[in-house]
């Protein structure tokens, strides 16, 4: 059996992070999202993987290569145009066995999930098995309607609220027989201008073919759709991590609860770290700083004296200068914070923080949310950020500047001020 992983999309809702990397390469607790998927494929006993790429495909190919380093054989197929999941799947028809696994490559799920679906397929021999999960806002997903026998009846893509009473949605993990390709030949373009894989599943069900639904436990699966989802995804990954303290821990440092410290990391005296926390290779933390739960520090990060970081993702090679505070935020790679940089994460009225996604202001549903920075952002001393703002890559923010609205990539934000110097007495 082979596995097909769909990893061609742009991840526009995750800008500015996806302006410099494809969504599957966003790192969570030290490894890209796509790596979680590959780990599950390997656990299921599958060694041959086909990855469908398009957006920044060279980045994915360079990172994973031919898969030898992971005990896998990885090949790549380029989707020339973003024409939907159905179109992407058809590209693999001559390359896969019967049956085969297909997975959306921007999901997090536990290692045994794919094996769980394969076991059901081998036992029941249906046309397809698909994973499903219950969610609070099904209108954001493909909603599943089932027969009385718990088989698929139809899939309604992102219905308006109230159209269906079901809260069971497509989890994006399947085992297919090759009969699905015949149905894909008859799928028509959706209102989004794409050929949807889920339409082929509905067609199978309409022809009285068996599409079995396997409901996953809610904590076995996580979807990353919007920037603030990364914070919850990070907590999910920390929960499923087996922490080890391998690095240098100086006398006077305190590690409380589940804290992972990589072998080449250094925790200086006076650092106080409350798990769950992940600290990657060559990170340098302290002295005298506070790393609070839900935080991941990437490779070669530097956290200075008297810094507090809470429930945040700090990506590789970023430096958080002394006397700074970062809360409920996602900070890209190679950023540099001047001393005293502050990220606000709470509104005065205690209301939900809003953030712009694809040009529209969205209620995040979060009472506490800081900022999202692209790569290579630099701040001067005492720069500050209001809750929910985003800053594009390669932007500089001057000393004492308060960021109240989103800033584009490749820009410079400076504070203009008038100064008056009065000479009180003449020099002799």
């Amino acid at each position: 059996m082979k596995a097909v992983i769909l990893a061609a999309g742009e991840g526009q809702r995750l800008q500015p992070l996806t302006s410099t990397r494809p969504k599957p390469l966003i790192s969570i607790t030290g490894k890209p999202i796509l790596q979680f998927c590959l780990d599950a494929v390997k656990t299921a006993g599958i060694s041959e993987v086909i990855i469908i790429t398009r957006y920044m495909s060279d980045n994915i190919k360079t990172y994973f290569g031919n898969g030898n380093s992971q005990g896998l054989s990885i090949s790549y197929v380029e989707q020339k145009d973003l024409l939907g999941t159905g179109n992407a799947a058809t590209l693999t028809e001559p390359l896969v066995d019967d049956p085969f696994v297909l997975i959306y490559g921007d999901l997090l799920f536990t290692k045994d999930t794919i094996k769980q679906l394969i076991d059901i397929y081998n036992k029941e021999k249906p046309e397809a098995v698909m994973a499903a999960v219950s969610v609070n806002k099904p209108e954001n997903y493909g909603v599943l309607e089932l027969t009385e026998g718990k088989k698929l009846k139809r899939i309604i893509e992102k219905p308006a609220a109230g159209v269906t009473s079901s809260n069971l949605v497509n989890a994006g993990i399947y085992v297919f027989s090759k009969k699905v390709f015949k149905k894909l030949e008859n799928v028509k373009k959706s209102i989004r201008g794409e050929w949807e894989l889920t339409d082929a599943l509905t067609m199978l069900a309409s022809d009285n073919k068996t599409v079995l639904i396997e409901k996953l436990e809610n904590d076995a699966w996580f979807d990353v759709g919007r920037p603030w989802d990364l914070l919850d995804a990070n907590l999910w990954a920390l929960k499923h991590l087996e922490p080890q303290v391998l690095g240098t821990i100086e006398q006077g440092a305190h590690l409380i609860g589940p804290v992972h410290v990589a072998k080449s990391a250094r925790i200086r005296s006076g650092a106080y770290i409350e798990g769950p926390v992940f600290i990657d290779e060559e990170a340098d933390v302290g002295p005298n700083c506070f790393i609070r739960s839900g935080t991941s520090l990437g490779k070669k990060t530097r956290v200075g004296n008297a810094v507090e970081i809470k429930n945040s993702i700090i990506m590789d090679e970023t430096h958080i200068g002394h006397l700074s505070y970062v809360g409920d935020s996602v900070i890209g790679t190679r950023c540099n914070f001047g001393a005293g940089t502050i990220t606000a994460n709470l509104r005065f009225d205690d209301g939900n923080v809003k953030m712009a996604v694809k040009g529209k202001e969205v209620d995040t549903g979060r009472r506490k949310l800081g900022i999202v920075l692209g790569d290579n952002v630099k701040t001067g001393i005492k720069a500050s950020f209001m809750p929910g703002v985003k800053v594009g890559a390669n932007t500089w923010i001057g000393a004492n500047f308060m960021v109240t609205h989103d800033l584009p990539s490749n820009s410079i934000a400076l504070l203009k001020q008038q100064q008056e110097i009065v000479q009180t007495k003449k020099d002799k």
Side-chain angles (χ1 to χ4, degrees):
M1 188 178 292
K2 297 180 182 179
V4 174
I5 301 176
L6 306 186
E10 294 185 22
Q12 292 182 355
R13 292 182 297 171
L14 287 171
Q15 293 281 4
L17 298 169
T18 49
S19 67
T20 50
R21 62 177 66 75
K23 180 179 176 180
L25 289 188
I26 293 177
S27 184
I28 304 288
T29 60
K31 61 183 181 181
I33 292 172
L34 185 53
Q35 182 68 64
F36 288 87
C37 182
L38 292 173
D39 290 346
V41 165
K42 189 173 180 180
T43 298
I46 298 172
S47 60
E48 294 186 63
V49 181
I50 302 163
I51 302 179
I52 309 298
T53 62
R54 182 180 183 274
Y55 178 68
M56 294 191 177
S57 60
D58 287 346
N59 295 44
I60 295 175
K61 294 174 184 177
T62 298
Y63 190 95
F64 292 104
N66 60 13
N68 284 351
S69 62
Q70 305 188 51
L72 296 170
S73 174
I74 299 177
S75 58
Y76 301 88
V77 174
E78 189 92 3
Q79 187 179 21
K80 293 182 179 180
D81 298 295
L82 290 176
L83 298 176
T85 53
N87 172 261
T90 60
L91 301 176
T92 67
E93 181 176 5
L95 305 175
V96 297
D97 306 320
D98 190 4
F100 68 100
V101 172
L102 188 142
I103 312 148
Y104 299 167
D106 55 1
L107 302 170
L108 298 175
F109 50 90
T110 52
K111 284 185 177 182
D112 59 351
T113 300
I114 296 174
K115 185 178 185 303
Q116 180 180 341
L117 268 62
I118 291 173
D119 289 345
I120 294 170
Y121 185 95
N122 289 337
K123 180 180 178 181
E124 303 292 338
K125 303 297 182 184
E127 272 65 41
V129 178
M130 65 182 301
V133 291
S134 296
V135 297
N136 293 327
K137 293 185 176 181
E139 62 271 16
N140 295 329
Y141 301 89
V143 179
L144 309 184
E145 290 189 353
L146 309 184
T147 67
E148 291 182 2
K150 304 300 182 183
K151 298 176 184 177
L152 179 69
K153 182 178 179 181
R154 65 170 177 160
I155 303 174
I156 308 172
E157 281 293 337
K158 297 182 179 178
V163 168
T164 176
S165 60
S166 174
N167 70 341
L168 196 65
V169 304
N170 177 18
I173 310 166
Y174 315 86
V175 182
F176 285 121
S177 74
K178 293 192 73 171
K179 292 178 182 178
V180 72
F181 292 116
K182 291 294 183 183
K183 296 302 179 185
L184 283 169
E185 292 175 2
N186 298 318
V187 168
K188 296 181 180 180
K189 188 185 294 187
S190 70
I191 59 174
R192 297 192 299 170
E194 298 180 352
W195 283 265
E196 308 285 0
L197 177 62
T198 49
D199 287 345
L201 285 159
T202 296
M203 292 168 67
L204 282 170
S206 298
D207 287 349
N208 294 317
K209 304 298 183 183
T210 301
V211 178
L212 295 179
I213 306 301
E214 175 66 4
K215 188 176 184 300
L216 306 179
E217 297 295 329
N218 284 1
D219 65 352
W221 176 91
F222 197 91
D223 176 40
V224 180
R226 294 135 330 161
W228 56 90
D229 290 335
L230 288 166
L231 298 176
D232 292 328
N234 186 54
L235 284 173
W236 182 93
L238 286 169
K239 178 182 176 181
H240 290 87
L241 181 70
E242 295 182 5
Q244 294 179 291
V245 178
L246 305 173
T248 301
I249 313 297
E250 292 184 357
Q251 186 176 357
H254 298 274
L255 277 59
I256 312 298
V259 177
H260 177 90
V261 182
K263 186 175 181 179
S264 56
R266 178 181 182 183
I267 311 300
R268 296 173 183 260
S269 181
Y272 194 96
I273 304 174
E274 289 183 334
V277 164
F278 176 85
I279 300 173
D280 212 340
E281 299 290 350
E282 298 185 61
D284 190 347
V285 179
N288 306 317
C289 62
F290 187 14
I291 310 298
R292 295 169 61 182
S293 65
T295 295
S296 286
L297 302 180
K299 295 177 178 62
K300 298 184 179 181
T301 50
R302 175 77 179 96
V303 177
N305 176 62
V307 167
E308 180 177 348
I309 301 177
K310 174 233 174 188
N311 189 46
S312 295
I313 299 172
I314 313 298
M315 296 187 184
D316 296 352
E317 300 182 54
T318 283
H319 293 187
I320 308 297
H322 49 289
L323 304 171
S324 297
Y325 173 76
V326 180
D328 303 282
S329 298
V330 182
I331 312 299
T333 61
R334 297 180 298 279
C335 294
N336 191 82
F337 281 18
T341 296
I342 303 295
T343 69
N345 60 346
L346 179 67
R347 291 165 50 124
F348 274 145
D349 61 4
D350 277 345
N352 289 346
V353 176
K354 297 179 180 179
M355 182 175 283
V357 177
K358 296 180 68 173
K360 294 182 180 181
E361 190 175 66
V362 177
D363 185 341
T364 67
R366 298 179 68 100
R367 178 172 167 266
K368 289 190 176 183
L369 179 62
I371 64 174
V372 178
L373 300 191
D375 298 342
N376 301 304
V377 173
K378 295 183 179 181
T379 73
I381 59 169
K382 296 185 179 180
S384 57
F385 300 82
M386 296 301 287
V389 298
K390 298 191 296 184
V391 177
N394 308 309
T395 288
W396 294 0
I397 299 164
N400 290 303
F401 192 95
M402 175 176 284
V403 182
T404 58
H405 298 84
D406 291 0
L407 297 178
S409 298
N410 305 305
S411 59
I412 300 176
L414 300 173
L415 179 67
K416 289 185 176 181
Q417 61 181 16
Q418 292 181 336
Q419 292 185 341
E420 182 178 1
I421 301 174
V422 178
Q423 190 171 16
T424 57
K425 58 182 179 180
K426 294 181 179 179
D427 293 332
K428 294 182 180 179

